[in-house]
Amino acid sequence: MKKLEAIIRPEVFGAVRDGLAQEGIAGLSVSEIAGCGRQLGRTGLFRGNTYEIEFLPKLKLEMIVDDEKVDPIVKVLLRDAATGKVGDGKIFIYPVEQAIRIRTKEVGSIAVE
């Protein structure tokens, strides 16, 4: 099993979610986060005063999946989350030793289905 974390722009989430659903991915955690990187933030204007927005809103998607689902998910993310601009995000893939469903005590891949 693997854990996939993807940091994406909020405006592409609909397309990413649809693409994941087409691949049969139903389990997904989404967190609203803020971050900075090469995108460097932007300048805002409020009541005539300019200010710097250093941390831009992003979404963090987290999924635990069987190894064979990793490549299709990565393809969906690369296709649907890309705008071609700096700040499109990142994908991280980690090994998962074990998963246990608390309610039924199921262990392994069956626990994340």
Side-chain angles (χ1 to χ4, degrees):
M1 288 183 294
K2 302 283 188 212
K3 177 180 182 180
L4 278 86
E5 284 184 10
I7 310 298
I8 64 171
R9 295 173 180 267
E11 59 268 22
V12 300
F13 176 68
V16 169
R17 180 69 185 112
D18 292 344
L20 291 172
Q22 289 175 358
E23 290 295 330
I25 305 303
L28 172 70
S29 296
V30 180
S31 304
E32 292 181 1
I33 62 170
C36 65
R38 290 186 178 174
Q39 196 174 2
L40 299 178
R42 61 179 179 235
T43 302
L45 182 65
F46 181 71
R47 295 186 180 175
N49 296 317
T50 60
Y51 61 96
E52 292 295 319
I53 302 171
E54 293 181 33
F55 295 95
L56 298 174
K58 301 288 182 181
L59 292 179
K60 181 164 113 174
L61 313 181
E62 297 175 274
M63 296 160 268
I64 308 294
V65 298
D66 284 327
D67 292 349
E68 65 269 4
K69 292 185 179 180
V70 172
D71 287 339
I73 291 171
V74 169
K75 287 178 185 173
V76 167
L77 290 166
L78 292 175
R79 180 189 71 216
D80 295 338
T83 66
K85 299 175 186 168
V86 174
D88 276 349
K90 301 273 192 294
I91 301 169
F92 305 100
I93 303 169
Y94 309 97
V96 173
E97 281 189 41
Q98 189 64 275
I100 303 167
R101 180 175 283 138
I102 294 172
R103 179 179 54 89
T104 62
K105 320 265 186 306
E106 294 169 311
V107 177
S109 297
I110 192 87
V112 297
E113 291 179 353

